[in-house]
Amino acid sequence: MRDAPLNPAFLQACRGETPAHTPVWLMRQAGRYMAEYRALRAKHSILEMIKDPEKATTVTLQPVNAFPVDAAIIFADILTLLEPMGLNLEFISGKGPVFHNPIRDPADIRALKAIDAGRELNFTLDAIRLSREKLANRIPLIGFSGAPYTLACYAIEGAGSKDFDNVRAWMFAHPQAWADLMDRLTDAVTDYLLAQIQAGAQAVQLFDSWAGSLSLADYRRFAAPWSRRIFDTLAREAPDVPRIHFSANGGHLLEEISTFPISVLGLDWRVDAAAAVSKYGNPLAYQGNLDPARLLASDEAVREGVASVKAAFSGAQAHIFNLGHGVVKTTPPERVKLLIDQVHARD
Ligand code: CP3
């Protein structure tokens, strides 16, 4: 059993306890808005940085050293999981992620390989071990994975897309093959998250960034059962490690998501937090949900946003302050500092 972190606020809130201060961390807290990140990125591709545990650890710690965040998140990406399954990933500048051999027909799914995260994604597990060492228990470290639906979107589309219309069409056309793909992704995500926990991740977050492109009925049929299965397994195999769910644009799905065996329900910025808390209730802890664009606007917009987000969550048993999606790359770092100080000061 490892010692409790010196700053336990984040893990306490995950358990529904009341910490001494409101914990805060930011999705995409490591990244291009930081000069330290851009300096390293100028010399290495994103995949080189993720696959070298020393560099991934350096990047994980950049925001921790710059700002008094209450949690670190391991520097990795949701898409690396698809590589050992057989999909060839490249990040193309100006275009984003591209898979050179996306899934085109049901036969491609039968060719996908089961992964062994301990071997094939060991770079991230080593980065977790090294980051835990360097963090020296100051704050907890969060591990993460993409949810099966969001991973399936990239695997089929082969790149980003506005609403993944082609993917939804594929799903409706091939429901059987879709279920097979989701089963395989679920096994891979479960293996990966359990391996991250084994390596030292003290909480895990499932990012279902594109779930919001589905109607509630289709989410229930085509996506939710597999996310639920992941949380069921984690709850059984690693009951003490908090489980966080986040979906962007997923306000209309919360009715289903809030019934998953999760510890923390993440809200994107479009969701009325006070209404969500009263509707879905406690003992869930909540995470969110400041509009990331406020950080681009003015100090006053940040101050005002922090106050209203905190007030909106005041009925929750516990609140972890976060943005309602990732930090935008043009964010001035001073505003991130202001945001975190404001969250801590307004308790
Ligand atoms: O939060 C953190 O600080 C941890 C790091 C992290 C990254 N990606 C690093 C990254 C996390 C949690 C992710 C998750 C991720 N990756 C998601 C889910 C979260 C969300 O935003 O909804 C998704 C959909 C991806 C897929 C992905 N990775 C895309 C679409 C891109 C390109 C984006 C762009 O603006 O170019 C990436 C690349 C990526 N992953 C970057 C970072 C810091 C930018 C890479 C760069 O430096 O060029």
Side-chain angles (χ1 to χ4, degrees), residues 4 27 53 92 104 185 187 227 344:
M27 292 186 275
I92 299 178
R104 282 288 176 251
L185 290 168
D187 288 348
S227 289
H344 287 155

Side-chain angles (χ1 to χ4, degrees), residues 25-32 37 41 46 73-79 91 96-97 144 150 154 207 209-210 246 325:
W25 69 279
L26 307 180
M27 292 186 275
R28 294 274 177 110
Q29 65 187 16
R32 285 171 295 194
Y37 178 90
R41 182 71 175 77
I46 169 99
I73 179 161
I74 194 65
F75 186 73
D77 195 85
I78 63 164
L79 300 179
F91 283 95
F144 69 90
T150 290
Y154 286 100
F207 285 90
S209 308
W210 296 107
F246 173 76
H325 204 163

Side-chain angles (χ1 to χ4, degrees), residues 158-209:
S161 158
K162 192 169 152 290
D163 287 315
F164 289 96
D165 298 328
N166 299 329
V167 174
R168 299 200 317 287
W170 200 96
M171 173 185 93
F172 294 128
H174 308 286
Q176 216 72 54
W178 175 264
D180 181 20
L181 172 61
M182 293 292 277
D183 282 343
R184 290 165 190 257
L185 290 168
T186 295
D187 288 348
V189 169
T190 304
D191 184 53
Y192 186 37
L193 287 175
L194 287 172
Q196 290 186 48
I197 289 168
Q198 188 91 42
Q202 289 151 292
V204 289
Q205 176 158 323
L206 198 66
F207 285 90
D208 209 353
S209 308

